[in-house]
Amino acid sequence: MSSSPANIIGMKVHCNACEKEFPIGKKQQALLREDQPIACKGCKAELVISAVEKQRFLGFDNPAKPMMLAMMISGLLSVCVFGGTFLGLLKSDGLVLVAVVVLIGSNLVLGPMIRSATKSLMVNLDPKGAPVAAPAAP
């Protein structure tokens, strides 16, 4: 089980008060690790994590990290290609066309891969002060 304080890319939470799902960032993930409440983006209720969900959360890996690196490299390449074209450094229309096709293609391929890899990265949060259900006996 990993208890790394690293940001889990694509992490989402489900609010049991308003039944909405929303992504959380590094700050909210740090608050959950410290058993601090976070605010729901839908109903604005303070949400807390149960012990069972926290164990699941701490066990999550970061499956989208290698794909995000590819997306960042793709973005950097696009800035270089379009910046070079704008500044007149790249004069070959064929090179620019190939670069555009590669960049769009990589985004079209990596986007669904990231979404499917992070689909299971969700924890259920309860409103603060809600009665906690007793865990089932083995």
Side-chain angles (χ1 to χ4, degrees):
M1 184 170 22
S2 170
S3 61
S4 168
N7 183 25
I8 300 173
I9 299 166
M11 181 72 200
K12 296 173 284 301
V13 298
H14 177 264
C15 174
N16 288 336
C18 66
E19 300 298 320
K20 293 197 181 205
E21 297 174 359
F22 57 92
I24 59 171
K26 191 174 190 173
K27 289 180 182 178
Q28 289 90 4
Q29 290 178 29
L31 288 173
L32 288 179
R33 281 187 187 90
E34 298 169 3
D35 291 324
Q36 299 294 318
I38 63 170
C40 174
K41 292 185 179 178
C43 65
K44 306 295 183 208
E46 283 191 326
L47 303 173
V48 292
I49 191 166
S50 68
V52 173
E53 289 294 307
K54 185 173 182 181
Q55 289 302 319
R56 280 188 57 237
F57 172 58
L58 294 176
F60 285 151
D61 195 8
N62 210 344
K65 194 170 187 174
M67 292 175 261
M68 290 303 292
L69 180 62
M71 290 288 278
M72 287 187 269
I73 291 170
S74 175
L76 183 62
L77 180 62
S78 67
V79 168
C80 292
V81 167
F82 294 119
T85 304
F86 180 73
L87 294 173
L89 302 173
L90 293 175
K91 306 243 188 252
S92 171
D93 291 337
L95 176 65
V96 173
L97 180 62
V98 168
V100 168
V101 169
V102 167
L103 295 172
I104 291 173
S106 68
N107 284 323
L108 289 174
V109 169
L110 288 171
M113 286 174 64
I114 291 172
R115 280 190 293 280
S116 70
T118 61
K119 190 174 187 177
S120 64
L121 299 178
M122 183 177 309
V123 291
N124 294 311
L125 301 181
D126 297 314
K128 189 174 183 179
V132 178

